[in-house]
Amino acid sequence: MSADERPPRVAIVGRPNVGKSTLFNRLVGHRVALVDDTPGVTRDRREDEARLGHLRFTAIDTAGLDEAAAGSLAQRMTAQTEAAVKGADAVLFLVDARAGLTPLDRRFADLLRAAGAPLVLVANKAESAAADAGVLEAYALGLGDPVAISAEHGEGMGDLLEALAPHLPAPAAAVGEGAGQPLRVAVVGRPNVGKSTLVNRILGEERLLTGPEAGITRDAIAVEWTWRGRPFRLFDTAGLRRKARVEAKLEKLAVGDALRAIRFAEVVILVVDAGQPFEKQDLQIADLIEKEGRAIVIALAKWDLVTDRQARRADLAEKAARLLPQLAGIPLVPVSGLTGEGTDRLLAAVAKADAVWNKRVATARLNRWLADAVERHPPPAVAGRRIRLRYLTQSKARPPTFVAFCSRPEKLPDAYRRYLLNRLRGDFGLAGTPLRLILRRGENPYASRKRRPTT
């Protein structure tokens, strides 16, 4: 999409805990960003399609502007906010009307004024009379008339529309229909395995916060991107720890956001540390992805630290086959977020996994295959009676789901079900994707007919 075709971009900025994420959720139309009374919940900048009256634009939620030492996490968060301001067509600068102006508000008002971007001053949390003094105090910033709103209760949105509309490019006020829906890809894994570093390397820019601190990412951050002409929507997520170790409220919210990203993704990249692969939590995450029915690719991160690569890769392939039998043939792609090695192969594997996940097999082929499979290995007799498999069809894709009609579905052993699934994977090129096999009792076409009396 060219710069002229893309929707205008509106950055929401301000010091911590003034209600930026609440306003972002209000403009987007549903709860996307994490919201909590704790300052500094938002760290990366989050983008999503938003609307305000007749306006259509991309809203950008940012970390709270704060003073911090060079190189610290807070300073890197502020740098992300500054990058959002530079790329925005308009800026909504929020202050807290209930708390009144602070020295930090005044400092960052000067910085935003120097940036030169079209700016709207917004006095949030103005739902009560107690906030009137704070709204009047906001005039002292010299940024024009403050717009009094309550993002939580939806008050003042009409006034905000009137103030924002003159700053947005008229031709791009409405978002046009896209040429195709982006492929939704979630990047998940344990904390500190290099998810954000890998996404930054794929994007070719420092779009997401990274660092040695575990748990930097909190929200599931969505980033639009194009690879070989195909649009992608990448979701970087918070690290998933064992449930028993998730205690803090914010971490529970972050984990919930990551789980939602998995459920709404089409392909999930599970990032594992090549030096400490397939730990219990890795296997639990893979099992969760399989149960959700998402296509999956495993990225073997930090591959630049591996020495004997050929032996290591063979060992990891053996472990994956042994520990993840429900995802037999799952693609393993060695990558390095530090050097960029393997990122192109990773995206090719994602595109292929999506194609397999969407694959359909004709019913005629399936029933010829079923006859051969049963002839090679008939289902075992149960209590002296044979189980007859009569018919097989694919009911849907995403993931591939098959329905088999048989005489006694409740008696078919699990081992035979696994035999059918493994053969389906191998014979129809469905390796590495979740499969579903549903058993139904075959209807007797003569069951409803009355038996004629014999003479």
Side-chain angles (χ1 to χ4, degrees):
M1 183 180 293
S2 67
D4 293 333
E5 294 172 335
R6 69 165 174 81
R9 299 165 65 81
V10 177
I12 305 171
V13 304
R15 62 179 175 81
N17 216 31
V18 294
K20 299 182 296 298
S21 294
T22 304
L23 177 58
F24 177 83
N25 288 341
R26 172 72 59 181
L27 295 173
V28 169
H30 55 281
R31 197 205 73 82
V32 179
L34 298 184
V35 177
D36 191 72
D37 292 336
T38 307
V41 172
T42 302
R43 288 176 170 176
D44 286 289
R45 62 185 192 270
R46 176 194 279 274
E47 302 179 3
D48 211 331
E49 295 178 2
R51 62 183 298 169
L52 181 60
H54 64 280
L55 298 179
R56 305 291 184 274
F57 53 91
T58 298
I60 308 171
D61 187 23
T62 65
L65 291 163
D66 207 348
E67 295 177 308
S72 66
L73 174 59
Q75 189 274 330
R76 300 199 301 274
M77 291 162 59
T78 300
Q80 286 282 320
T81 299
E82 292 171 349
V85 170
K86 289 179 182 177
D89 297 287
V91 175
L92 300 179
F93 178 35
L94 267 65
V95 297
D96 187 336
R98 286 191 307 218
L101 293 186
T102 68
L104 198 55
D105 290 321
R106 298 178 189 276
R107 171 174 169 74
F108 287 114
D110 293 336
L111 292 177
L112 292 171
R113 189 184 294 109
L119 189 146
V120 175
L121 177 61
V122 182
N124 191 29
K125 306 182 185 180
E127 62 270 18
S128 66
D132 291 347
V135 175
L136 293 174
E137 190 179 358
Y139 279 95
L141 294 175
L143 297 174
D145 296 342
V147 180
I149 72 164
S150 171
E152 183 175 0
H153 300 285
E155 298 176 7
M157 293 297 109
D159 294 334
L160 183 60
L161 168 64
E162 185 177 343
L164 181 60
H167 298 299
L168 298 188
V175 180
E177 294 294 327
Q181 292 298 317
L183 177 62
R184 298 188 299 275
V185 180
V187 182
V188 304
R190 292 183 285 117
N192 218 29
V193 293
K195 298 181 295 296
S196 297
T197 302
L198 178 60
V199 173
N200 282 340
R201 177 60 66 174
I202 290 173
L203 299 175
E205 62 171 305
E206 292 299 312
R207 173 61 181 81
L208 303 170
L209 283 177
T210 60
E213 305 92 343
I216 289 178
T217 303
R218 284 174 172 167
D219 295 87
I221 304 299
V223 183
E224 300 282 352
W225 183 69
T226 301
W227 178 75
R228 295 185 181 177
R230 182 173 187 178
F232 280 70
R233 188 171 176 83
L234 295 175
F235 292 84
D236 182 34
T237 64
L240 295 171
R241 296 199 296 165
R242 293 198 306 273
K243 187 175 182 180
R245 298 183 61 185
V246 178
E247 299 175 353
K249 177 184 177 183
L250 274 178
E251 187 174 3
K252 290 179 181 179
L253 292 172
V255 168
D257 217 27
L259 296 178
R260 277 189 294 274
I262 292 174
R263 294 186 185 108
F264 288 102
E266 294 164 289
V267 183
V268 179
I269 298 174
L270 173 57
V271 182
V272 302
D273 189 333
Q276 298 175 322
F278 300 121
E279 294 190 353
K280 183 178 179 180
Q281 184 64 2
D282 295 324
L283 301 178
Q284 289 179 340
I285 296 171
D287 189 56
L288 170 65
I289 298 168
E290 192 276 336
K291 287 179 179 176
E292 291 293 337
R294 307 299 99 180
I296 179 172
V297 174
I298 293 183
L300 303 172
K302 305 181 183 179
W303 195 249
D304 54 294
L305 302 179
V306 175
T307 51
D308 190 353
R309 295 186 171 189
Q310 187 173 354
R312 187 62 171 165
R313 186 163 186 178
D315 177 59
L316 294 175
E318 184 276 328
K319 285 183 177 179
R322 176 167 47 86
L323 298 172
L324 296 171
Q326 72 275 35
L327 292 167
I330 187 171
L332 305 176
V333 185
V335 296
S336 170
L338 187 63
T339 67
E341 178 185 359
T343 54
D344 206 54
R345 291 193 300 272
L346 177 64
L347 293 170
V350 166
K352 184 177 180 181
D354 177 62
V356 173
W357 192 60
N358 282 276
K359 193 168 186 176
R360 284 188 172 274
V361 183
T363 299
R365 287 186 64 197
L366 284 173
N367 282 283
R368 288 194 297 269
W369 172 89
L370 179 64
D372 179 70
V374 170
E375 183 179 354
R376 288 172 180 264
H377 181 30
V382 178
R385 297 173 57 192
R386 289 181 57 194
I387 298 175
R388 291 181 174 84
L389 287 161
R390 298 191 173 99
Y391 185 75
L392 181 66
T393 187
Q394 184 175 357
S395 60
K396 72 180 189 70
R398 306 164 64 92
T401 301
F402 302 91
V403 180
F405 293 88
C406 61
S407 57
R408 291 185 293 159
E410 72 281 358
K411 299 296 184 180
L412 190 71
D414 289 339
Y416 197 81
R417 182 196 292 258
R418 288 193 296 271
Y419 160 72
L420 293 176
L421 286 173
N422 288 334
R423 281 210 55 181
L424 281 168
R425 288 184 191 279
D427 294 345
F428 294 109
L430 300 172
T433 199
L435 296 184
R436 302 289 185 262
L437 179 60
I438 301 170
L439 301 177
R440 291 283 184 266
R441 183 178 297 277
E443 296 295 334
N444 183 348
Y446 301 101
S448 61
R449 296 188 182 185
K450 293 183 179 180
R451 180 177 295 180
R452 294 182 179 180
T454 59
T455 56

